Amino acid sequence: AARLKAQKKPREWPPSFEEDGIAWSFDAASGYFFEPETKFYYEPKTKLYFNTKTQQYYQHVPDQTPPYVAYVASSPLAAATAAQ
């Protein structure tokens, strides 16, 4: 009989940059930090997290579950891309 492997559920949210900076690697092409497991970018100047799957920005709110809230405003990444 075939045994089913319990698949690890992928993380939905990245670790915060301030608490686990080692999980993030600098992406020279974008100028942002990238976390490969969740595919989020972190922009240190604005302290915003960008979800590449949903194309949405988030702010980190440590005392909340989940610890991220959607950020609604003109996006720095979109503005930087449009300016090029």
Side-chain angles (χ1 to χ4, degrees), residues 10-17 20-21 23-27 30-44 47-61 66-71 77:
R11 288 175 73 152
E12 184 178 358
W13 300 102
S16 78
F17 186 81
D20 193 10
W24 298 81
S25 57
F26 185 69
D27 176 56
S30 69
Y32 297 165
F33 289 86
F34 183 70
E35 199 283 310
E37 188 175 342
T38 58
K39 303 200 178 356
F40 268 75
Y41 280 94
Y42 174 72
E43 207 287 295
K47 296 188 176 183
L48 291 176
Y49 296 80
F50 181 71
N51 183 335
T52 60
K53 297 173 200 158
T54 63
Q55 302 292 298
Q56 173 69 51
Y57 280 89
Y58 292 89
Q59 289 179 300
H60 184 249
V61 182
Y68 291 90
V69 292
Y71 178 78
L77 186 61

